[in-house]
Amino acid sequence: MSITVNGLDELKKLAGSDLGTSEWIEVAQQRIDTFADATGDHQWIHVDPERAAAGPFGAPIAHGYLTLSLFIPLFTGLLDVQGVTTKVNYGLNKVRFPSPVKVGSRIRLVAGLTEVEEVPGGVQITVDGAIEIEGAAKPAAVLQSLSRFYA
């Protein structure tokens, strides 16, 4: 369920809050192939199902950076910030990929808004998140993301 805030003052009040858990999304081979085409990363472990089936994971796996890129659509399902003019990704402090995402797996985001600090013209938020894989003991990604919102 999404949390909706209107403006920077309401966003500031969320500092230290648990944002909850997103909906599941499937990571299909078509998504992996499209990402490979967009990035030029066509390593067999991602795009060759036959060879990957005999590889170390028993199936093709998503690129780590594909998993990371899915943070944004998963995150926007948790927090909707209205009443601002601009929303930008500012960067990442930490990223790890503890477990591969096999083709056909479903992933979701569990996140918390750990900090909200003022920056010229707006605020910067720090979000701690884990992208979980359905049925897996370890997450696909653990990250700390920075975003800025401008009035």
Side-chain angles (χ1 to χ4, degrees), residues 47-147:
V47 298
D48 185 339
E50 268 186 45
R51 188 171 175 195
F57 305 109
I61 60 170
H63 305 71
Y65 287 120
L66 167 56
T67 302
L68 181 61
S69 74
L70 294 172
F71 170 79
I72 293 300
L74 293 167
F75 178 71
T76 57
L78 295 179
L79 180 63
D80 179 19
V81 180
Q82 299 180 357
V84 297
T85 62
T86 308
K87 305 171 185 180
V88 295
N89 297 321
Y90 191 69
L92 299 160
N93 285 336
K94 302 174 192 175
V95 178
R96 296 288 183 270
F97 302 110
S99 188
V101 177
K102 291 182 182 181
V103 68
S105 295
R106 293 189 337 149
I107 62 172
R108 68 181 180 185
L109 175 65
V110 177
L113 181 58
T114 55
E115 187 176 1
V116 180
E117 61 184 297
E118 296 204 22
V119 296
V123 298
Q124 177 173 294
I125 67 170
T126 303
V127 174
D128 286 335
I131 298 176
E132 299 179 332
I133 306 166
E134 188 174 38
K138 293 182 182 177
V142 178
L143 60 113
Q144 188 174 70
S145 172
L146 305 173
S147 299

